[in-house]
Amino acid sequence: MRRSYGKADRIVAISKGVASQLLEMKLARPGQISVIYNLCVNNEVHTAQKAPISDYQVPFERPLLVACGRLTEQKGYPYLLDAFRRVRDERQAELWILGEGDQRSTIESRIEELGLVENVSLLGFRNNPFKFMAAADVFVLSSLWEGFGNVIVEAMACGTPVVATDCPHGPGEIITHEKNGLLVPPADSDALSNALLRVLRDQSLKEQLTENGKERARDFHASKIGQQYLGLFREVVSQSKESPQTPVDRSN
């Protein structure tokens, strides 16, 4: 990374947090980094979210929470399960988790320990996660760390209110707390359960987060992100034409 990044005219970081980390690790120079968020939304997302869910019965009489991500330590699922147990202590609800990973057996054991076998479903990897996001009453991200957090934007685009951990890096750059989503500290089951219950109890808050979330998701549409990359490419090419060409040392 030090060799290749050092030769780059520009480095693109997918969040401001990642950019700061690159500077702290001395992998990039100030002025060498451009922050361009991930492309998360295109017209296919809006079509895919309308597809029917045929292999699972979507609960209509009780709230549905959906999470999406690999079954790994990073995603903080033990904290989510503890939080959901507290949600279940107050009201009937279901939690669907999309994704596969090396912690599946550990997560299954924790589901049994908490007595949530009837309420939590591990749905595995899905080619179309958007229809599940759209079916949810709340989308929840419990990650301990991220690079950005694409699923937050995808859920917003599907018209689902989002509760997410304010982990490094990304969620806090996507979500404005109380406006288009709710942020809670990572690894804090109590805060996570309180935020989830708050959205489930407060219909006006749910509607506010839904509408503002859809508006925020438009900032990450393919057309906008593509224009940002185009602008960056033009800037770099223009600068290279104005500067004398320096041979690149490829001896390493």
Side-chain angles (χ1 to χ4, degrees), residues 14-15 18 37-38 40 146-150 152-153 169-171 174 220:
I14 59 174
S15 66
V18 169
Y37 293 128
N38 280 342
C40 300
E146 285 287 346
F148 178 63
N150 289 20
I152 294 174
V153 179
H169 304 286
I174 302 169
F220 306 93

Side-chain angles (χ1 to χ4, degrees), residues 30-52:
Q32 188 187 17
I33 301 177
S34 295
V35 176
I36 299 180
Y37 293 128
N38 280 342
L39 184 164
C40 300
V41 183
N42 56 30
N43 294 336
E44 292 180 4
V45 171
H46 299 295
T47 301
Q49 70 176 344
K50 298 175 184 177

Side-chain angles (χ1 to χ4, degrees), residues 91-220:
R91 63 189 303 166
Q92 288 289 335
E94 287 194 26
L95 169 63
W96 291 359
I97 301 176
L98 283 66
E100 276 297 348
D102 56 17
Q103 287 202 339
R104 185 182 183 97
S105 60
T106 301
I107 292 170
E108 289 175 334
S109 297
R110 186 60 180 158
I111 291 171
E112 292 183 13
E113 290 171 7
L114 293 171
L116 294 172
V117 174
E118 299 299 320
N119 305 98
V120 179
S121 299
L122 301 181
L123 275 59
F125 173 79
R126 297 290 169 144
N127 287 319
N128 179 5
F130 310 112
K131 62 182 180 181
F132 296 95
M133 293 176 176
D137 293 282
V138 184
F139 181 84
V140 55
L141 179 129
S142 54
S143 295
L144 305 180
W145 69 89
E146 285 287 346
F148 178 63
N150 289 20
V151 291
I152 294 174
V153 179
E154 293 167 350
M156 286 177 166
C158 291
T160 303
V162 176
V163 173
T165 52
D166 192 10
C167 65
H169 304 286
E173 296 180 41
I174 302 169
I175 292 174
T176 300
H177 183 57
E178 301 278 353
K179 179 181 179 182
N180 51 33
L182 297 183
L183 291 169
V184 300
D188 189 333
S189 298
D190 288 335
L192 187 57
S193 63
N194 289 338
L196 292 170
L197 284 167
R198 187 179 166 200
V199 177
L200 294 176
R201 292 173 187 145
D202 191 336
Q203 183 63 28
S204 63
L205 174 63
K206 182 178 179 181
E207 292 173 359
Q208 173 191 313
L209 299 182
T210 296
E211 292 306 312
N212 291 340
K214 286 192 289 187
E215 181 178 352
R216 177 61 172 142
R218 296 187 187 102
D219 293 332
F220 306 93

Side-chain angles (χ1 to χ4, degrees), residues 65-81:
L65 282 62
V66 169
C68 182
R70 293 171 296 116
L71 306 184
T72 61
E73 178 188 0
Q74 173 193 351
K75 300 303 180 180
Y77 287 127
Y79 300 100
L80 173 56
L81 292 174

